Amino acid sequence: MTSYANISLGLKQTCEKYPYKRAIVYPSGRDRNGRVLYSQMTFSQLDRQSDKLAFGLEEIGITRGTRTILMVPPGMEFFIIVFAMFKVGAIPVVVDPGMGIGRMLQCLQQGRPKAFIGIEKAHLLRKLKPGFFTSVKHWVTVGKRWFWGGYTLDQLMAQTDDPYPIAQTTRDEAAAIVFTTGSTGPAKGVVYTHGNFEAQIKQIREHFQIEPDEIDLPTFPLFALFDPVLGMTAVIPDMDPTKPALVDPAKIIEAVENQGVTNMFASPALLNRVGKFGKENHIKLPSLRRVVSAGAPVTPANIEQFSTLLFDHAQIHTPYGATESVPIISIGSNEILSETKKLSEQGFGMCIGRPICDTRVEIIKISDNPITQFHDNLKMPENQVGEITVTADLVTENYFNNHEADLLAKIPDPNGKIWHRMGDLGWKDSKGRIWFCGRKNHRVVTRDETLFTIPVEAIFNNHGNVFRSALTGAGPKHMQTPVVFIEPCSKPEDKNAFINELLDLAKSNPLTQMIEHIFIEKAFPVDIRHNSKIFREKLAVKATKKLNL
């Protein structure tokens, strides 16, 4: 029997339960007193509008299986378009615009799209760089169409109130292609199936105990996609989603207070910025039930700072995952602050919690080579560092048109399951918790030992004037010289004295006693999606030059 699945069926179910509940709330300006004006749309309206557009998309040839570039910022049109695409069975190709135009164009070309839906700026880009869009046959403009061809979104809204017959897509059929940011290597197109999305939504609902009256503030646009299926109102924040580290904290707090937000996603950079502002101004946010922070390691100090804004019933959750598999492991702030924080500061790694629901996680031997089959001999014993691997229904099984990436990241097992190699290192404790120790390709292999970024950096982060640190290796592979870069909280009065203090700190701990080279950086290079992952590769090049290796 064929197993049908389609993420848009979740919107239909939400619409039946809460037809007049607000689905989307969007800041559309301010009145003369500076108060925010909001546009909004109910679940019933979202369902009807996406039905109308689905008829229009089908009419022009955007149908089941059509890979379609989507370049539309978060807002009303974004939700209408995405759910219309799911209803017809088209496949959105989603690329983070923050990765830079050159890399973004390469990703779009790699997705071999047949259709293009975008705002005016996006169409201007494709006219300036036509060579990247030769495979595209159908063009749709969100807004005003200028000197280019194709249709406008308004033209495609069918004049009918009939419900659209949703495509009977299967669980293993491609639903979307989402590109990684390429912050730790080339950007890859991750193929999400309708079954992956279904499992993801189930896991989020069950683990975070999402309730019917929830209101979400998704500061990362892709996470907003799940809100209509989860029955949550999505309040679109007034911010540049490509620059969360530069967000205006007052606007985030304003949205929480105006809308009674119960759930908020925040990258570590945004969490830190809003938390610092809130703590300094003695702000409390009683409506928040949970804050979810992911995208990079979240330090206990960052969690502790933001916790001052919350009431006792609320927690900060730090789920772990990647574009290919998220969320798979999670831990709450109560356990972090009461138990694991002090161990993290001593260099044990960052505790990321236990596997969620029926997710299986194993720690395997560290290897940079492909692994052709999963077997018990790969597994590491408790308390020993290895690579984190995972299997679950939400774990994506392949990349789009990238066999080499599949070989390096996916491991089939004898039972027909696919294990995903996270590319992260960690260890499992006696309580079943996983401790994250850093990226596999960031480990520093010297003549005598292997150093892992997160444990080593924790020792330096204990210094009062260290905002963050970054371990990297200089010189040839497997004979590297360990180097630590420091981003201070404030410019040290005496740079040499500051470095000497840090060298003394290094000598006081067995994890760091062999480190002899410390450099100060005004600001670290970080990823574009969450503004939190440190580009240690760039720092490694700088270290090699500084040491003439």
Side-chain angles (χ1 to χ4, degrees), residues 194-227:
H194 286 278
N196 291 146
F197 276 140
E198 197 175 67
Q200 212 169 16
I201 288 157
K202 180 174 181 281
Q203 197 133 302
I204 290 169
R205 179 182 279 121
E206 288 181 7
H207 179 72
F208 295 112
Q209 299 179 328
I210 305 296
E211 297 176 56
D213 61 340
E214 300 259 7
I215 299 169
D216 186 32
L217 187 71
T219 63
F220 179 50
L222 279 180
F223 284 5
L225 270 181
F226 297 131
D227 285 348

Side-chain angles (χ1 to χ4, degrees), residues 26-40:
Y26 184 79
S28 55
R30 291 183 180 269
D31 66 16
R32 61 184 182 181
N33 295 313
R35 292 181 292 249
V36 187
L37 302 171
Y38 292 98
S39 299
Q40 58 190 42

Side-chain angles (χ1 to χ4, degrees), residues 343-356:
L343 296 173
S344 292
E345 289 169 349
Q346 292 166 30
F348 282 79
M350 196 79 69
C351 186
I352 53 178
R354 298 168 182 83
I356 296 172

Side-chain angles (χ1 to χ4, degrees), residues 53-74:
L53 181 57
F55 280 113
L57 292 177
E58 184 181 46
E59 183 72 22
I60 66 166
I62 299 178
T63 56
R64 184 170 175 175
T66 305
R67 289 187 298 277
T68 306
I69 292 170
L70 183 61
M71 296 187 73
V72 179

Side-chain angles (χ1 to χ4, degrees), residues 277-354:
F277 177 86
K279 185 177 181 181
E280 288 172 352
N281 291 278
H282 309 290
I283 289 164
K284 290 286 185 181
L285 300 172
S287 69
L288 279 176
R289 298 174 192 173
R290 78 188 70 73
V291 176
V292 179
S293 187
V298 193
T299 64
N302 195 350
I303 292 166
E304 200 163 32
Q305 177 178 256
F306 198 95
S307 292
T308 63
L309 281 65
L310 304 176
F311 277 52
D312 290 341
H313 65 277
Q315 272 205 84
I316 299 168
H317 299 264
T318 58
Y320 166 84
T323 307
E324 298 90 338
S325 49
V326 63
I328 58 170
I329 301 169
S330 189
I331 188 172
S333 52
N334 290 350
E335 188 172 3
I336 293 169
L337 297 179
S338 66
E339 188 178 344
T340 67
K341 172 180 180 284
K342 55 183 178 290
L343 296 173
S344 292
E345 289 169 349
Q346 292 166 30
F348 282 79
M350 196 79 69
C351 186
I352 53 178
R354 298 168 182 83

Side-chain angles (χ1 to χ4, degrees), residues 2 7 29 52 69 79 89 142 177 205 209 223 247 258 300-301 368 375 405 438 456 467 518 546:
T2 306
I7 189 174
K52 288 176 183 291
I69 292 170
F79 283 90
V142 179
I177 298 171
R205 179 182 279 121
Q209 299 179 328
F223 284 5
V247 70
N258 282 355
D368 295 314
H375 50 81
V456 166
F467 171 55
I518 295 175
K546 283 179 178 287

